[in-house]
Amino acid sequence: MSTSLWISDGPTRSLLSSRVSPPTQSRRPTSRPRPGSVPRTERSTATMFPSLLSRVASPLLTTACTSTASSQQQAAALPPQALRLPPQPGNNYKPIATTLVAAAAAGLLLLSPAPAPSRADPEFTVYYGTAASAANYGGYGGNASKKDTAEYVYDVPEGWKERLVSKVEKGTNGTDSEFFNPRKRTEKEYLTFLSGIRALAPLSAVLDNLALSDVGLLDQIATADDVRSVERADGAGQVYYEYEVAGAGAHSLISVTCARNKLYAHFVTAPNAEWSRDEAMLRRLHESFKTIQPGAPPPVTET
């Protein structure tokens, strides 16, 4: 900082110049230490001698540690019910143990896998067949209205569809009724009949005669790994021939009997994959087939 002074001494003037430089350091006013602060000398001592301070236990720290340890020992010695927190007024109080148990149970429910849905057994309906000849065949299929004139009955799984049988088919191979699984049409049951037969032929000959009019059955018997046959009689003395044909691609259950001068043959067949899945249900269909004697009331079958 440069300052110029003009001094007048009579007629003459002289200019005196002097350079005044500001002070290099300014003295700050002495301030009082704040309450609770550590003096500069003590902080320097703590920085220079940390080991000495760490070895000297403070009376305040010793008292706090001792009281904490004693309180933990007293809490451990108290019974569980003494550790419960008192209920707070105005709040929904729940014990800590109850809250923890509820949280753990909720976590287990979330982590546990959901049970797989079980496959319910299908419902069944009773089909009443009339086995009418092609000349007297006035419609397609059958329904419950034929109950009074029915000649045979068998169960049908709920959801299966009835295939409409034409007069030509009824007159050539004697197919009277047929139902199939809509998800797999080759899984089905059907009945054929032949008129003018009063008694059954030998057990070993009936199956071969049936195969002559059924190309699918003929191929299945030709490639079968096993063919089983058995004769049984129901409570009324009606004789049935039963066959089980385990073919290379399909499995069939056949029941044959004679009544009203007719031969009735009931078939239940399915590909091997469906047979492995629905064997119990298919065997029930096979066992549900019965003929009705003339004048006898229709059998009561559970649905």
Side-chain angles (χ1 to χ4, degrees), residues 206-229:
V206 171
L207 186 61
D208 294 335
N209 293 333
L210 291 176
L212 294 177
S213 60
D214 192 331
V215 178
L217 179 60
L218 184 63
D219 294 339
Q220 188 175 354
I221 295 175
T223 61
D225 299 330
D226 186 20
V227 177
R228 301 178 183 179
S229 58

Side-chain angles (χ1 to χ4, degrees), residues 127 129-132 137 141 152 165 170 174-178 191-193:
Y127 175 77
T130 58
Y137 187 57
Y152 64 89
V165 180
K170 180 184 276 292
T175 303
D176 188 64
S177 58
E178 180 175 327
L191 184 133
T192 63
F193 74 98

